[in-house]
Amino acid sequence: PAAKPTATAAPEETMMPWNGWFGSFLKDKLGDEKYEKVRELILYRPNDYTGFEQLPRPNTKLPISEKDPTLMHKFRHPSPGSQPPVEMRETDASFGNAGDDPYDVTYYKRDTGRRYTSDPTSLHRDLEKIKLELLPEDDPRVKEALEEFEKGPGSSPGNKGVFATGKSDFDPSGLRATMSTNWEATEASLDANMPDHLPTPTWMAEQDEIVAWYEERDLPVSIGGTGYGNIPIGARVARW
């Protein structure tokens, strides 16, 4: 069980009462007004709230409002010991898919845009597959080439989940850790993330009006919608 904190705030009394004894001595002898003039003359920014210390003291107060002088921000307040424990979530719906690991930031396993361009071993694999499928299936050389193609590169076999600390099954796919990443799992992940949508041009929303315009004028219907982005006639007139 976690130890219960004995205090929730820093003590207001200083643990070094002797600190600043010389300033207190001068203030007592010179008075407040003369003492402040001497401080501003000798010291650089004597009223700086940090005192030019790298780590603020627990009782340091920083004004955070120009209108309300009572609004202050204190260093480490509330203290970490008086706050509730951190919640380590295994899933987080705010990441889009509630079942996804919120701590998994790997991108290579869903980087479909550079799938066939970045890795020399996978360069134009889609075209190689089409070429092999067009060749005679009965040819033993084609069969051998297909088998080699299906094997994929011999590099990056992965450690099969066996790390220096022993066998681990925290990620059956093997893509969560670099040492367990393998070619087969990466290809399967890229297949699952390949885009399957067909983008449509802007003129598709007005295709009926475009066809009607050509039919009314007894003109052949052109492909697509024209006129988008044309330069007006006035802009094409020479200015000299």
Side-chain angles (χ1 to χ4, degrees), residues 97-120:
N97 186 356
D100 290 344
D101 184 358
Y103 309 102
D104 186 4
V105 296
T106 52
Y107 181 62
Y108 73 95
K109 64 182 182 182
R110 47 190 174 88
D111 186 10
T112 58
R114 288 175 286 188
R115 181 177 187 179
Y116 301 114
T117 58
S118 60
D119 189 357

Tab-separated table of all heavy atoms in Angstrom, residues 97-120:
chain	number	residue	atom	x	y	z
A	97	ASN	N	-10.014	4.651	-32.012
A	97	ASN	CA	-10.481	3.290	-31.812
A	97	ASN	C	-10.264	2.932	-30.354
A	97	ASN	O	-9.137	2.929	-29.859
A	97	ASN	CB	-9.716	2.330	-32.733
A	97	ASN	CG	-10.270	0.918	-32.663
A	97	ASN	OD1	-11.177	0.635	-31.882
A	97	ASN	ND2	-9.739	0.036	-33.473
A	98	ALA	N	-11.343	2.612	-29.656
A	98	ALA	CA	-11.237	2.347	-28.225
A	98	ALA	C	-10.381	1.127	-27.926
A	98	ALA	O	-9.862	0.985	-26.824
A	98	ALA	CB	-12.646	2.155	-27.631
A	99	GLY	N	-10.219	0.230	-28.884
A	99	GLY	CA	-9.434	-0.970	-28.663
A	99	GLY	C	-7.963	-0.796	-28.940
A	99	GLY	O	-7.159	-1.692	-28.663
A	100	ASP	N	-7.552	0.339	-29.477
A	100	ASP	CA	-6.145	0.566	-29.798
A	100	ASP	C	-5.345	0.894	-28.541
A	100	ASP	O	-5.879	1.448	-27.576
A	100	ASP	CB	-5.992	1.711	-30.802
A	100	ASP	CG	-6.512	1.328	-32.178
A	100	ASP	OD1	-6.694	0.123	-32.402
A	100	ASP	OD2	-6.748	2.220	-32.997
A	101	ASP	N	-4.077	0.545	-28.580
A	101	ASP	CA	-3.173	0.844	-27.478
A	101	ASP	C	-2.831	2.334	-27.527
A	101	ASP	O	-2.227	2.794	-28.499
A	101	ASP	CB	-1.907	-0.003	-27.612
A	101	ASP	CG	-0.962	0.198	-26.437
A	101	ASP	OD1	-1.274	1.019	-25.558
A	101	ASP	OD2	0.079	-0.480	-26.395
A	102	PRO	N	-3.182	3.124	-26.528
A	102	PRO	CA	-2.902	4.564	-26.588
A	102	PRO	C	-1.414	4.896	-26.536
A	102	PRO	O	-1.025	6.018	-26.826
A	102	PRO	CB	-3.631	5.116	-25.359
A	102	PRO	CG	-3.742	3.960	-24.431
A	102	PRO	CD	-3.869	2.744	-25.279
A	103	TYR	N	-0.568	3.932	-26.175
A	103	TYR	CA	0.870	4.180	-26.087
A	103	TYR	C	1.620	3.672	-27.317
A	103	TYR	O	2.838	3.793	-27.388
A	103	TYR	CB	1.436	3.522	-24.830
A	103	TYR	CG	0.668	3.886	-23.579
A	103	TYR	CD1	-0.242	3.000	-23.018
A	103	TYR	CD2	0.822	5.130	-22.973
A	103	TYR	CE1	-0.963	3.330	-21.879
A	103	TYR	CE2	0.107	5.474	-21.846
A	103	TYR	CZ	-0.782	4.575	-21.300
A	103	TYR	OH	-1.495	4.917	-20.193
A	104	ASP	N	0.914	3.102	-28.255
A	104	ASP	CA	1.541	2.600	-29.474
A	104	ASP	C	1.557	3.714	-30.506
A	104	ASP	O	0.530	4.072	-31.077
A	104	ASP	CB	0.775	1.382	-30.000
A	104	ASP	CG	1.479	0.737	-31.170
A	104	ASP	OD1	2.589	1.193	-31.524
A	104	ASP	OD2	0.938	-0.225	-31.740
A	105	VAL	N	2.737	4.261	-30.763
A	105	VAL	CA	2.869	5.381	-31.700
A	105	VAL	C	3.593	4.964	-32.974
A	105	VAL	O	4.027	5.824	-33.745
A	105	VAL	CB	3.611	6.557	-31.031
A	105	VAL	CG1	2.802	7.107	-29.879
A	105	VAL	CG2	4.997	6.131	-30.543
A	106	THR	N	3.740	3.675	-33.208
A	106	THR	CA	4.427	3.220	-34.416
A	106	THR	C	3.624	3.600	-35.653
A	106	THR	O	2.395	3.491	-35.675
A	106	THR	CB	4.608	1.696	-34.382
A	106	THR	OG1	3.337	1.074	-34.130
A	106	THR	CG2	5.578	1.300	-33.299
A	107	TYR	N	4.333	4.042	-36.662
A	107	TYR	CA	3.687	4.487	-37.896
A	107	TYR	C	4.033	3.608	-39.088
A	107	TYR	O	3.266	3.543	-40.048
A	107	TYR	CB	4.084	5.937	-38.195
A	107	TYR	CG	3.447	6.510	-39.439
A	107	TYR	CD1	2.063	6.629	-39.541
A	107	TYR	CD2	4.221	6.912	-40.508
A	107	TYR	CE1	1.470	7.138	-40.679
A	107	TYR	CE2	3.641	7.434	-41.654
A	107	TYR	CZ	2.263	7.543	-41.742
A	107	TYR	OH	1.679	8.050	-42.873
A	108	TYR	N	5.179	2.917	-39.019
A	108	TYR	CA	5.616	2.145	-40.178
A	108	TYR	C	4.632	1.040	-40.542
A	108	TYR	O	4.491	0.693	-41.714
A	108	TYR	CB	6.997	1.529	-39.901
A	108	TYR	CG	6.971	0.372	-38.929
A	108	TYR	CD1	6.904	-0.939	-39.389
A	108	TYR	CD2	7.015	0.574	-37.556
A	108	TYR	CE1	6.874	-2.000	-38.508
A	108	TYR	CE2	6.988	-0.475	-36.675
A	108	TYR	CZ	6.925	-1.759	-37.151
A	108	TYR	OH	6.896	-2.824	-36.285
A	109	LYS	N	3.930	0.511	-39.577
A	109	LYS	CA	3.025	-0.607	-39.850
A	109	LYS	C	1.723	-0.163	-40.517
A	109	LYS	O	0.926	-1.009	-40.932
A	109	LYS	CB	2.711	-1.357	-38.561
A	109	LYS	CG	1.969	-0.543	-37.528
A	109	LYS	CD	1.751	-1.361	-36.268
A	109	LYS	CE	0.967	-0.613	-35.230
A	109	LYS	NZ	0.785	-1.387	-33.987
A	110	ARG	N	1.508	1.163	-40.642
A	110	ARG	CA	0.339	1.668	-41.372
A	110	ARG	C	0.728	2.761	-42.367
A	110	ARG	O	-0.107	3.533	-42.802
A	110	ARG	CB	-0.714	2.195	-40.400
A	110	ARG	CG	-0.170	3.111	-39.324
A	110	ARG	CD	-1.214	3.398	-38.261
A	110	ARG	NE	-0.684	4.162	-37.153
A	110	ARG	CZ	-0.629	5.479	-37.103
A	110	ARG	NH1	-1.092	6.180	-38.119
A	110	ARG	NH2	-0.130	6.094	-36.064
A	111	ASP	N	2.009	2.805	-42.700
A	111	ASP	CA	2.509	3.787	-43.661
A	111	ASP	C	2.332	3.234	-45.080
A	111	ASP	O	3.280	2.807	-45.729
A	111	ASP	CB	3.973	4.098	-43.372
A	111	ASP	CG	4.496	5.225	-44.247
A	111	ASP	OD1	3.680	5.865	-44.927
A	111	ASP	OD2	5.718	5.453	-44.250
A	112	THR	N	1.099	3.258	-45.557
A	112	THR	CA	0.803	2.696	-46.876
A	112	THR	C	1.269	3.599	-48.009
A	112	THR	O	1.474	3.133	-49.124
A	112	THR	CB	-0.705	2.461	-47.011
A	112	THR	OG1	-1.404	3.709	-46.816
A	112	THR	CG2	-1.192	1.470	-45.962
A	113	GLY	N	1.448	4.893	-47.729
A	113	GLY	CA	1.853	5.816	-48.782
A	113	GLY	C	3.240	5.536	-49.317
A	113	GLY	O	3.527	5.775	-50.492
A	114	ARG	N	4.129	5.009	-48.471
A	114	ARG	CA	5.496	4.714	-48.890
A	114	ARG	C	5.771	3.211	-48.905
A	114	ARG	O	6.917	2.786	-48.809
A	114	ARG	CB	6.478	5.416	-47.959
A	114	ARG	CG	6.513	6.918	-48.162
A	114	ARG	CD	7.396	7.602	-47.161
A	114	ARG	NE	6.759	7.635	-45.841
A	114	ARG	CZ	7.260	8.316	-44.806
A	114	ARG	NH1	8.372	8.978	-44.936
A	114	ARG	NH2	6.633	8.323	-43.647
A	115	ARG	N	4.715	2.446	-49.033
A	115	ARG	CA	4.874	0.998	-48.960
A	115	ARG	C	5.728	0.467	-50.098
A	115	ARG	O	6.556	-0.420	-49.891
A	115	ARG	CB	3.495	0.333	-48.988
A	115	ARG	CG	3.557	-1.186	-48.891
A	115	ARG	CD	2.175	-1.791	-48.849
A	115	ARG	NE	2.222	-3.218	-48.597
A	115	ARG	CZ	1.159	-4.014	-48.490
A	115	ARG	NH1	-0.052	-3.465	-48.601
A	115	ARG	NH2	1.293	-5.299	-48.263
A	116	TYR	N	5.533	0.984	-51.293
A	116	TYR	CA	6.220	0.440	-52.472
A	116	TYR	C	7.346	1.352	-52.960
A	116	TYR	O	7.827	1.176	-54.074
A	116	TYR	CB	5.218	0.228	-53.603
A	116	TYR	CG	4.088	-0.715	-53.235
A	116	TYR	CD1	2.770	-0.249	-53.149
A	116	TYR	CD2	4.330	-2.047	-52.966
A	116	TYR	CE1	1.736	-1.103	-52.823
A	116	TYR	CE2	3.296	-2.904	-52.618
A	116	TYR	CZ	2.010	-2.432	-52.552
A	116	TYR	OH	0.984	-3.275	-52.217
A	117	THR	N	7.729	2.324	-52.146
A	117	THR	CA	8.762	3.259	-52.614
A	117	THR	C	9.939	3.389	-51.659
A	117	THR	O	11.059	3.630	-52.096
A	117	THR	CB	8.155	4.650	-52.821
A	117	THR	OG1	7.569	5.107	-51.592
A	117	THR	CG2	7.079	4.619	-53.902
A	118	SER	N	9.720	3.259	-50.363
A	118	SER	CA	10.782	3.542	-49.405
A	118	SER	C	11.726	2.367	-49.198
A	118	SER	O	12.927	2.546	-49.034
A	118	SER	CB	10.179	3.955	-48.060
A	118	SER	OG	9.362	2.923	-47.547
A	119	ASP	N	11.198	1.142	-49.204
A	119	ASP	CA	12.013	-0.037	-48.926
A	119	ASP	C	12.449	-0.678	-50.233
A	119	ASP	O	11.601	-1.085	-51.032
A	119	ASP	CB	11.214	-1.032	-48.084
A	119	ASP	CG	12.078	-2.174	-47.581
A	119	ASP	OD1	13.270	-2.210	-47.936
A	119	ASP	OD2	11.565	-3.022	-46.841
A	120	PRO	N	13.756	-0.803	-50.490
A	120	PRO	CA	14.195	-1.426	-51.757
A	120	PRO	C	13.710	-2.856	-51.915
A	120	PRO	O	13.488	-3.321	-53.034
A	120	PRO	CB	15.726	-1.352	-51.674
A	120	PRO	CG	16.005	-0.269	-50.695
A	120	PRO	CD	14.875	-0.295	-49.704
